[in-house]
Amino acid sequence: MGAAASRRRALRSEAMSSVAAKVRAARAFGEYLSQSHPENRNGADDVPIRTWFPKENLFSFQTATTTMQANFRKHLRMVGSRRVKAQTFAERRERSFSRSWSDPTPMKADTSHDSRDSSDLQSSHCTLDEACEDLDWDTEKGLEAMACNTEGFLPPKVMLISSKVPKAEYIPTIIRRDDPSIIPILYDHEHATFEDILEEIEKKLNIYHKGAKIWKMLIFCQGGPGHLYLLKNKVATFAKVEKEEDMIHFWKRLSRLMSKVNPEPNVIHIMGCYILGNPNGEKLFQNLRTLMTPYKVTFESPLELSAQGKQMIETYFDFRLYRLWKSRQHSKLLDFDDVL
């Protein structure tokens, strides 16, 4: 055990002495080179470089030096570009702040002038639109008056009947037979659209009397307090008639089919449900009247058992046949055809 340790110490001391000897030899050789060739200390460019390094080590050293110089030049270019960019941004910002439009004082004056001009332009545009609307209104009113100024003309009454109403197919057979101005229109609740309904109304009006408009209208559909079930997945409420575009378009288009020459407001009756069962029904009627402005339209939905309801029924129906139809409306035991 002790012999091995002493052997290791001896090998270590020999290695250290060998390294020290090599270091002393290298120092001596360096002093010799500096004394024998003093021109190497001056670093003259015309004297070739003498070195004791191998050629392959010299090539690696030169390559590393070239790479370092290239990286340094690249660094200088990047720093310079950053400075140019920063300077360009500073100059651009200075120029932008020196512009006249960035000064708040002239901006305020110019803005007021522009806003005054824009408000004048807008007001003139609105005035022009109103003048065009007034002209169109007067023109359409004159055309309707000429169409209605014929002997024996009766203002049309349109009945819009939803197929969702039980036994709706029999309703056209119980209308007043002594009044040819009643125009029944039965539409498909499941598949029809608002455009289909409007096109059918226009078509039937032109067939009845070209240029005629609606004086009275009956919408016979399902619904309840505060809402109308016009089409499948289309329920008219006071909120929806303000938001849903297709419903807004329907009521506005319908208003253009109402009469302009009627000295009294045109009337739209609602049957098949009692809309005014809660305050939302009155809100719905108010919103519909607003949508149909400037046409004067009133909405009525009286109870059928009331005096006003009886008067509404007699406006469109043979009262006896209507009561008979009403009594058989939900019956499956007796076919209404046999009764008629």
Side-chain angles (χ1 to χ4, degrees):
M1 187 71 177
S6 61
R7 191 179 300 110
R8 284 196 298 272
R9 284 195 297 272
L11 291 173
R12 191 182 298 112
S13 62
E14 289 177 2
M16 291 176 64
S17 62
S18 175
V19 172
K22 290 179 180 180
V23 171
R24 286 195 297 272
R27 287 178 180 175
F29 187 70
E31 291 176 358
Y32 169 75
L33 288 177
S34 62
Q35 292 175 1
S36 300
H37 304 280
E39 65 277 7
N40 289 339
R41 294 196 302 269
N42 298 332
D45 295 336
D46 55 348
V47 179
I49 299 175
R50 295 182 177 89
T51 176
W52 55 278
F53 289 107
K55 290 184 178 180
E56 58 272 14
N57 292 342
L58 180 61
F59 177 76
S60 300
F61 177 76
Q62 291 175 348
T63 303
T65 304
T66 304
T67 303
M68 291 175 63
Q69 291 176 351
N71 291 337
F72 184 69
R73 285 194 296 268
K74 183 179 179 181
H75 171 72
L76 290 178
R77 286 196 301 270
M78 293 176 63
V79 172
S81 64
R82 289 197 191 101
R83 288 178 179 176
V84 170
K85 289 180 179 178
Q87 184 178 4
T88 304
F89 175 75
E91 292 176 354
R92 188 167 62 250
R93 184 176 61 181
E94 184 178 358
R95 285 197 303 269
S96 66
F97 280 120
S98 65
R99 292 173 183 171
S100 60
W101 51 263
S102 64
D103 189 4
T105 304
M107 274 286 290
K108 188 173 183 180
D110 294 342
T111 303
S112 62
H113 184 267
D114 293 341
S115 63
R116 187 167 56 253
D117 292 342
S118 62
S119 62
D120 294 342
L121 181 62
Q122 185 176 5
S123 62
S124 62
H125 180 69
C126 294
T127 305
L128 182 61
D129 289 342
E130 291 175 357
C132 293
E133 290 179 359
D134 293 340
L135 181 61
D136 293 340
W137 178 278
D138 294 337
T139 303
E140 293 178 2
K141 186 177 180 179
L143 293 175
E144 183 187 353
M146 290 176 60
C148 299
N149 191 19
T150 57
E151 186 178 357
F153 173 78
L154 296 175
K157 305 181 188 72
V158 174
M159 293 177 60
L160 197 60
I161 308 162
S162 170
S163 63
K164 191 72 173 175
V165 176
K167 289 187 172 57
E169 64 274 14
Y170 296 109
I171 293 179
T173 64
I174 62 175
I175 62 175
R176 289 179 55 179
R177 298 175 183 177
D178 60 342
D179 190 351
S181 65
I182 298 176
I183 306 173
I185 299 174
L186 180 64
Y187 69 91
D188 188 354
H189 173 87
E190 296 291 327
H191 304 99
T193 64
F194 288 128
E195 290 295 328
D196 296 336
I197 295 174
L198 292 169
E199 290 177 2
E200 188 66 18
I201 293 174
E202 291 180 353
K203 177 183 175 182
K204 291 295 180 67
L205 284 174
N206 287 328
I207 293 175
Y208 173 75
H209 193 94
K210 191 171 181 62
K213 300 295 182 179
I214 302 171
W215 288 46
K216 291 184 179 180
M217 184 175 186
L218 172 67
I219 299 179
F220 206 140
C221 66
Q222 291 186 338
H227 68 277
L228 278 175
Y229 199 23
L230 294 171
L231 293 173
K232 185 179 180 180
N233 300 326
K234 291 295 179 183
V235 182
T237 64
F238 78 93
K240 289 186 177 181
V241 297
E242 293 179 338
K243 298 177 182 179
E244 296 189 5
E245 293 295 331
D246 55 348
M247 200 169 295
I248 293 172
H249 180 70
F250 169 73
W251 291 103
K252 286 187 174 182
R253 280 276 307 276
L254 183 61
S255 69
R256 298 189 186 101
L257 299 176
M258 308 303 287
S259 175
K260 299 180 180 66
V261 298
N262 188 358
E264 298 179 357
N266 303 306
V267 181
I268 296 180
H269 292 105
I270 307 295
M271 286 186 68
C273 56
Y274 185 53
I275 299 295
L276 300 177
N278 63 25
N280 290 336
E282 185 56 41
K283 290 181 181 179
L284 173 60
F285 284 170
Q286 178 61 42
N287 289 347
L288 292 178
R289 284 193 293 268
T290 303
L291 277 178
M292 302 180 83
T293 304
Y295 297 84
K296 296 180 180 180
V297 181
T298 61
F299 288 83
E300 296 180 4
S301 179
L303 291 171
E304 293 183 11
L305 299 178
S306 64
Q308 189 179 5
K310 185 175 182 294
Q311 182 181 1
M312 175 184 67
I313 294 171
E314 290 178 340
T315 302
Y316 304 94
F317 298 99
D318 183 305
F319 190 72
R320 183 185 63 85
L321 292 178
Y322 178 81
R323 289 180 60 186
L324 184 61
W325 171 83
K326 192 71 175 177
S327 64
R328 303 293 194 273
Q329 184 180 9
H330 301 284
S331 175
K332 297 181 180 179
L333 300 178
L334 184 62
D335 192 355
F336 192 69
D337 288 330
D338 298 335
V339 176
L340 291 176

